[in-house]
Amino acid sequence: MGSERVERRLQRREFIAGLGCATAWPVVARAQQSAEPVIGFLSSVSPGSLVKNLAAFRQGLNERGYAEGQNAAVEYRWAEGRFDRLPMLATELVQRNVAVIFASGGPPSALAAKAATTTIPIVFILASDPIKLGLVTSLNHPGGNATGVGLFAVAVEPKKLEILHELVPKAKKIGVLINPRNPNAQTILTELQTAAAALGLQIYVVNAAAGAEFGAVFPTLVQQKAEALIVAADPFFNDQRETLVALAAQHALPAIYEWREFAMAGGLASYGTILSDAYRQAGVYTGRILKGEKPANLPVVQPTKFELVINVKSAKALGLDIPQTLLVNADEVIE
């Protein structure tokens, strides 16, 4: 009898110990899950326009030892062109207590993230000057909780006008499509007016901040006898690139754009930075911050390469003969 009681006590202790282990296991599992860093991905555009660039961002993360779904998680927030939603989306990421926020899609995303937090690190991609926007104190020493990649697209606009002038030398009146909500709008206009005067050209500005406005833009350009078009750099325009390219073709307007994705979609030409490289670098910076580096000490990356892409098929449809000098200097020619 005595031995049976002892055996039952031992079995009961083992059972209780087993319960303790079973209870402890979810706690350990939760602790392991919580140790996985969470990246907040805040974008002013829609996911469909960023498939290639999102892959480049993940590549940059991989280069620093992080893989989404393995040892890092990503919380996505898409404004889909509705900039007024960005402050709410940024606040959601802050409340989620993410380790870092990657703000893509231009100044509205970066500014919304900056307004939502002064402590969580922010990595941005901007075509604007981050100093003028108040995001950093200097390019080499950002000094706060934000750093990233500066595309400085404003400086590219006069070069786009020069290339368009070579593509359509007879065109004297050039339309310029600008998003009036873009913080660079006035600067872009000033730069283009100066460049146009030097080339003896006249520019006519049309504005669009929503897709519904495109329907009036192109008939207006035709009515005003614009003979070619510059589409200024803007995340919203990039999001709507297929629509813009189709409308330009429909109205037989030779147009030049900022990024190669436009030319790949059928646009006549593009000149600008390589956007996928910028996203890869943003992924690298995000990974470096996850490993403990401070954004204040990470210089804003500036582009070193610009590419010219020409779509010969679109040129033929417009009845244009591309100068040999442009074809030779192009980084890619789409036949």
Side-chain angles (χ1 to χ4, degrees), residues 204-258:
Y204 181 82
V205 179
V206 286
N207 295 305
E213 297 174 352
F214 292 152
V217 161
F218 286 85
T220 299
L221 288 169
V222 173
Q223 182 183 3
Q224 293 296 323
K225 295 182 169 52
E227 299 163 283
L229 173 66
I230 290 178
V231 176
D234 187 85
F236 170 64
F237 292 160
N238 190 33
D239 196 35
Q240 300 289 317
R241 59 180 174 268
E242 304 226 351
T243 300
L244 288 170
V245 166
L247 285 168
Q250 178 185 332
H251 292 84
L253 268 176
I256 188 167
Y257 310 86
E258 180 77 8

Side-chain angles (χ1 to χ4, degrees), residues 272-302:
T273 54
I274 303 173
L275 204 52
S276 59
D277 279 357
Y279 274 81
R280 185 195 63 79
Q281 183 59 58
V284 169
Y285 261 21
T286 300
R288 289 177 65 176
I289 289 170
L290 290 178
K291 287 186 178 293
E293 294 190 60
K294 304 297 183 186
N297 302 324
L298 293 173
V300 174
V301 179
Q302 301 177 62

Side-chain angles (χ1 to χ4, degrees), residues 129-141:
D129 185 343
I131 298 175
K132 289 183 179 179
L133 290 174
L135 293 168
V136 301
T137 55
S138 78
L139 299 179
N140 290 331
H141 302 284

Side-chain angles (χ1 to χ4, degrees), residues 2 14 16 60 83 105 127 178 186 202-203 219 235 301-302 314 323 325 332:
E14 289 171 1
I16 292 171
F83 294 170
I178 292 179
Q186 187 55 51
Q202 179 186 357
I203 63 172
V301 179
Q302 301 177 62
S314 298
T325 52
E332 183 174 349

Side-chain angles (χ1 to χ4, degrees), residues 71-261:
N71 61 348
V74 183
E75 287 275 342
Y76 294 96
R77 297 293 186 275
W78 306 95
E80 300 187 341
R82 294 172 54 192
F83 294 170
D84 58 311
R85 297 184 65 227
L86 286 166
M88 175 192 71
L89 298 176
T91 300
E92 285 181 8
L93 292 175
V94 172
Q95 292 172 344
R96 177 70 174 79
N97 197 29
V98 296
V100 56
I101 295 176
F102 171 47
S104 76
S109 297
L111 292 171
K114 185 70 173 175
T117 179
T118 57
T119 54
I120 295 175
I122 298 167
V123 176
F124 55 71
I125 290 181
L126 288 175
S128 307
D129 185 343
I131 298 175
K132 289 183 179 179
L133 290 174
L135 293 168
V136 301
T137 55
S138 78
L139 299 179
N140 290 331
H141 302 284
N145 66 320
T147 188
V149 184
L151 301 177
F152 299 95
V154 172
V156 175
E157 299 297 340
K159 182 64 177 177
K160 285 165 61 181
L161 180 60
E162 289 179 22
I163 295 170
L164 187 61
H165 184 48
E166 289 186 61
L167 287 167
V168 197
K170 293 182 179 179
K172 298 302 178 185
K173 190 171 188 178
I174 310 296
V176 179
L177 176 59
I178 292 179
N179 182 351
R181 295 180 185 172
N182 189 314
N184 290 327
Q186 187 55 51
T187 306
I188 289 172
L189 180 55
T190 301
E191 293 282 337
L192 283 174
Q193 285 173 332
T194 302
L199 293 170
L201 302 175
Q202 179 186 357
I203 63 172
Y204 181 82
V205 179
V206 286
N207 295 305
E213 297 174 352
F214 292 152
V217 161
F218 286 85
T220 299
L221 288 169
V222 173
Q223 182 183 3
Q224 293 296 323
K225 295 182 169 52
E227 299 163 283
L229 173 66
I230 290 178
V231 176
D234 187 85
F236 170 64
F237 292 160
N238 190 33
D239 196 35
Q240 300 289 317
R241 59 180 174 268
E242 304 226 351
T243 300
L244 288 170
V245 166
L247 285 168
Q250 178 185 332
H251 292 84
L253 268 176
I256 188 167
Y257 310 86
E258 180 77 8
W259 293 296
R260 69 161 33 242
E261 287 78 8

